[in-house]
């Protein structure tokens, strides 16, 4: 039986709330990412806090400088002004490698398993489960998890991809929108690849380190990242970084046919030519009290004053007719 860690008690108000928006520039902002930006901005500003902007561009093959520039322009057009300097994760590889070399080192191991080998392993598992006509869903879940073939192989860490051991422990955290969550990172994520063979750093590793180093206290982000949260809590703990005290996972914006709005689904980029109408629409989508059409600055000031996440509580999907 895995050991159990009780969910933290609701933390008492931190001295200064720090939130952030952390887009990956693999495309332009769409309605889904805009609502995440807007909600995290209004929420942290309603607490009198600081709102940081971090560009999560570690995956240089998928990210594009053009997209990061457009994201900044779109946020500015909507008066979503961030505090301090923008951080670009592509410029911080040395920091992540330093963490892998020191506090996280005992948990890392090199892995030479190819995608093909792992798929063959998982297919065999699935077949086995079919033969036994039981535990199919368990076998499907296993698809996400690395079977630890290389854990004790002692391979050269500089020559292969690097995995990080995830604890086989239930971790609980209070989520201000999705209620109390319990996850076992070994079950949900498994030993994740934290550095690929080409040196690319995994985004949850980078996000965990940066959230800790930037002193982020409040994380409000999309529900699609929720399965990774206990892994992030584990990484931050192992890296001896300050814990995030408040988590909020926002419902996903979906087409009314149920399909999630995402870059993969070629969601339309936002059009900021009429920023006030766009803000009004995004606030409606977030089920916020109506704001008067005005300049984006004044609309945001009103939205911050009125901010209330209660209507979102327990919701996993917000539908848009597009
Ligand atoms: N970079 C992630 C994304 O664009 C968000 C990660 C996070 O907010 O922790 O989906």
């Amino acid at each position: 039986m895995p050991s159990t860690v009780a969910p933290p008690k609701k933390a008492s108000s931190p001295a200064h709330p720090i939130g952030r928006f952390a887009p990956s520039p693999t495309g332009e902002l769409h309605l889904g990412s805009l609502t995440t930006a807007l909600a995290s901005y209004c929420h942290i500003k309603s607490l009198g806090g600081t709102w940081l902007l971090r560009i999560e561009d570690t995956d240089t093959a998928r990210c594009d400088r053009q997209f990061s520039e457009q994201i900044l322009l779109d946020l500015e057009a909507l008066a979503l002004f961030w505090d301090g300097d923008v951080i670009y994760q592509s410029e911080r590889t040395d920091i992540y490698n330093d963490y892998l070399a020191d506090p996280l080192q005992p948990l890392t191991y090199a892995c030479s398993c190819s995608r093909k080998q792992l798929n063959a392993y998982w297919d065999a598992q699935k077949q086995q489960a079919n033969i036994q006509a039981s535990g199919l869903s368990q076998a499907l879940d296993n698809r996400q998890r690395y079977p630890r073939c290389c854990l004790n192989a002692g391979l050269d860490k500089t020559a292969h991809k690097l995995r990080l051991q995830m604890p086989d422990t239930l971790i609980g955290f209070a989520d201000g929108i999705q209620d109390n969550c319990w996850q076992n990172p070994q079950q949900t994520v498994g030993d994740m690849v934290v550095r690929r063979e080409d040196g690319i750093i995994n985004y949850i590793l980078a996000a965990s380190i940066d959230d800790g180093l930037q002193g982020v206290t409040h994380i409000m982000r999309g529900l699609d990242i929720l399965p990774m949260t206990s892994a992030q809590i584990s990484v931050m703990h192992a890296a001896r970084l300050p814990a995030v005290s408040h988590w909020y996972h926002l419902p996903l914006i979906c087409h009314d046919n149920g399909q999630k709005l995402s870059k993969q689904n070629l969601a339309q980029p936002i059009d900021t030519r009429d920023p006030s109408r766009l803000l009004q629409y995004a606030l409606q989508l977030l089920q916020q009290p109506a704001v008067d059409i005005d300049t984006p600055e004044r609309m945001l000031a009103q939205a911050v004053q009125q901010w209330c996440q209660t209507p979102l509580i327990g919701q996993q999907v917000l539908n848009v007719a597009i």
Side-chain angles (χ1 to χ4, degrees):
M1 270 296 280
S3 61
T4 299
V5 179
K9 293 208 178 68
K10 284 234 157 58
S12 53
S13 261
H16 183 76
I18 301 180
R20 53 38 161 207
F21 176 51
S24 304
T26 53
E28 290 181 41
L29 290 183
H30 52 77
L31 213 45
S33 39
L34 169 65
T35 48
T36 303
L38 184 58
S40 65
Y41 175 92
C42 291
H43 172 245
I44 208 73
K45 291 293 170 186
S46 74
L47 301 174
T50 297
W51 191 63
L52 305 175
L53 177 60
R54 187 170 75 223
I55 300 292
E56 301 207 317
D57 55 354
T58 52
D59 190 344
T60 41
R62 292 182 60 232
C63 296
D64 195 317
R65 195 77 191 192
Q66 244 183 311
F67 292 136
S68 358
E69 280 162 17
Q70 191 58 48
I71 290 171
L72 267 55
L73 289 175
D74 285 343
L75 293 175
E76 282 171 340
L78 294 161
L80 287 164
F81 300 117
W82 53 92
D83 296 302
D85 293 334
V86 183
I87 277 194
Y88 292 85
Q89 290 189 327
S90 54
E91 294 166 5
R92 296 165 64 80
T93 310
D94 289 351
I95 297 176
Y96 311 133
N97 278 321
D98 284 351
Y99 270 86
L100 288 174
D102 186 10
L104 296 175
Q105 190 276 334
L107 296 176
T108 61
Y109 61 95
C111 169
S112 63
C113 295
S114 65
R115 172 70 27 208
K116 206 170 147 191
Q117 284 169 325
L118 288 173
N119 282 338
Y121 172 86
W122 283 318
D123 283 346
Q125 289 281 104
K126 195 169 137 189
Q127 241 175 24
Q128 184 71 20
N130 275 332
I131 290 164
Q132 290 169 358
S134 67
L136 179 59
S137 58
Q138 177 68 28
L140 290 173
D141 287 342
N142 283 346
R143 221 159 225 287
Q144 300 298 317
R145 289 162 43 205
Y146 177 62
R148 292 192 148 176
C149 314
C150 293
L151 177 61
N152 297 311
L155 300 171
D156 178 358
K157 290 184 181 181
T158 58
H160 300 282
K161 58 180 166 281
L162 206 59
R163 289 188 183 270
L164 190 73
Q165 292 182 58
M166 285 288 116
D168 192 5
T169 303
L170 264 184
I171 293 179
F173 54 93
D175 189 303
I177 293 177
Q178 305 297 333
D179 205 3
N180 284 342
C181 298
W182 293 91
Q183 291 173 0
N184 176 326
Q186 182 52 236
Q187 303 290 323
T188 52
V189 178
D191 293 352
M192 59 184 175
V193 174
V194 284
R195 187 177 63 212
R196 293 188 336 210
E197 216 165 314
D198 57 7
I200 298 279
I201 299 287
N202 158 296
Y203 82 94
I204 278 290
L205 178 82
S208 305
I209 293 172
D210 284 338
D211 282 331
L213 291 177
Q214 293 188 285
V216 171
T217 56
H218 293 61
I219 291 188
M220 187 173 269
R221 61 187 177 188
L223 188 61
D224 49 342
I225 323 264
L226 180 65
M228 308 297 290
T229 299
S230 61
Q232 173 160 3
I233 292 170
S234 307
V235 172
M236 294 181 81
H237 180 73
R240 293 182 221 117
L241 288 162
V244 172
S245 50
H246 293 74
W247 298 95
Y248 308 84
H249 289 87
L250 292 160
L252 296 178
I253 308 290
C254 289
H255 291 285
D256 44 14
N257 65 7
Q259 198 179 49
K260 181 194 152 200
L261 233 71
S262 67
K263 285 166 248 184
Q264 290 79 2
N265 293 333
L266 304 178
Q268 284 284 70
I270 54 167
D271 179 349
T272 55
R273 278 175 302 179
D274 188 351
S276 303
R277 295 271 163 215
L278 182 58
L279 277 178
Q280 187 189 45
Y281 181 55
L283 287 164
Q284 266 169 12
L285 212 51
L286 287 165
Q287 304 180 358
Q288 294 303 295
V291 287
D292 308 319
I293 283 283
D294 204 326
T295 60
E297 284 85 350
R298 289 207 203 106
M299 289 177 76
L300 279 181
Q302 192 184 349
V304 166
Q305 214 171 35
Q306 301 178 161
W307 173 257
C308 174
Q309 65 251 16
T310 312
L312 302 173
I313 290 177
Q315 295 213 58
Q316 305 203 330
V317 169
L318 298 174
N319 282 313
V320 282
I322 297 182

